[in-house]
Amino acid sequence: MVKLLNMSSLKITILTLFPEYFESVLKTSILNRSQDAGVVEYQIVDIRQFAQDKHRVTDDRPFGGGPGMVMKVDPIALALDSLAGGSHQVGLPGKKTVLTSAKGRLLNQAVAREYAVLEELVIICGHYEGVDERVAEHLVDEEVRIGDYVLTGGEPAAAVIIDAVTRLLPGALGNESSTIGESHDQPGEFGHPQYTRPVEFRGWKVPDVLLTGHHAQIEEWRKNQRS
Ligand code: ADE
């Protein structure tokens, strides 16, 4: 595919204990095409590579007791430092580092738009019972959640964030589609119904107005459907 020139691109880096999770996700459809077109660049970093001991341990028991394991702060900090060429910082213009977490800020279309205008987005995938709180306190700009439910890990959340953000990048959807003027910045408004051929199937008919070729009437019908 031809590389798009003069287009600012977003670099998305994913820190994970499960790099293989993203193999198919990033090679599929629009995400893959966007990377080929130079609209976005994905980088996967295996947190385990930054574990300090010979067994490459990335989690440990929680201080104070309790079930489960907690992701350690040091491998994550070292991974971030290496990406930043030495010393990772938060609060930089054009860059955000986020941690997937069930207690984070809720991802919606406005948040996705915020991320889509960055130059760099770093997503740390939380896992196990939790992540040492010092990651949230010192190493990220914010925590983000994709819904009000608890996942086993942050990888599906990262995949959702990447998808929602990538499709907003100029050039990601090609010329045929546009996200400008999309209705679903408003909660509950998710576009109008769409139909394609056949005109009738099992007696289920496409609304007549869509077959008229009358653009103003079609637009009016679609607007009514959205509200
Ligand atoms: N980790 C566990 N649950 C999550 C959620 N809903 N969103 C993001 N990360 C999570």
Side-chain angles (χ1 to χ4, degrees):
M1 185 173 273
V2 180
K3 195 151 172 99
L4 295 168
L5 298 172
N6 300 322
M7 198 167 265
S8 58
S9 70
L10 171 64
K11 180 169 183 183
I12 302 181
T13 302
I14 305 139
L15 273 66
T16 175
L17 287 170
F18 302 96
E20 65 280 6
Y21 181 92
F22 294 94
E23 273 167 25
S24 63
V25 169
L26 300 180
K27 284 203 174 68
T28 306
S29 187
I30 286 169
L31 300 193
N32 186 44
R33 274 192 287 147
S34 299
Q35 171 143 254
D36 282 351
V39 166
V40 64
E41 183 190 338
Y42 305 118
Q43 180 183 17
I44 309 291
V45 175
D46 184 355
I47 295 170
R48 199 171 297 284
Q49 299 299 318
F50 294 87
Q52 293 301 284
D53 66 309
K54 71 173 194 283
H55 298 295
R56 299 214 177 278
V57 172
T58 56
D59 61 332
D60 208 336
R61 292 188 304 274
F63 281 124
M69 300 291 270
V70 176
M71 274 175 79
K72 287 160 62 63
V73 61
D74 39 327
I76 295 173
L78 291 168
L80 291 169
D81 281 349
S82 90
L83 288 168
S87 180
H88 167 73
Q89 280 179 275
V90 293
L92 296 177
K95 177 175 177 178
K96 258 195 179 171
T97 304
V98 304
L99 171 68
T100 61
S101 162
K103 64 179 170 68
R105 176 189 187 196
L106 181 64
L107 180 77
N108 59 20
Q109 196 66 9
V111 174
R113 287 194 191 283
E114 226 179 275
Y115 293 171
V117 296
L118 295 170
E119 285 157 33
E120 198 174 347
L121 177 65
V122 179
I123 306 172
I124 305 167
C125 301
H127 227 269
Y128 300 119
E129 253 36 50
V131 181
D132 190 307
E133 190 62 21
R134 288 168 290 188
V135 173
E137 283 171 355
H138 304 289
L139 297 177
V140 302
D141 292 285
E142 61 192 33
E143 296 174 84
V144 61
R145 74 184 197 278
I146 61 161
D148 293 327
Y149 39 76
V150 182
L151 303 166
T152 57
E155 282 72 17
V160 167
I161 297 166
I162 292 163
D163 193 289
V165 171
T166 299
R167 67 179 290 284
L168 292 173
L169 300 173
L173 299 183
N175 292 333
E176 73 280 7
S177 311
S178 169
T179 59
I180 298 166
E182 251 176 13
S183 59
H184 44 279
D185 275 1
Q186 281 74 48
E189 291 185 18
F190 286 90
H192 50 257
Q194 299 273 38
Y195 299 86
T196 188
R197 289 183 292 182
V199 167
E200 186 170 346
F201 177 70
R202 294 184 180 166
W204 308 326
K205 286 203 67 208
V206 172
D208 288 337
V209 62
L210 299 179
L211 310 174
T212 60
H214 195 298
H215 293 303
Q217 280 177 17
I218 291 170
E219 206 29 66
E220 183 63 21
W221 179 86
R222 286 179 168 167
K223 214 173 97 200
N224 288 336
Q225 293 288 316
R226 287 196 292 265
S227 54

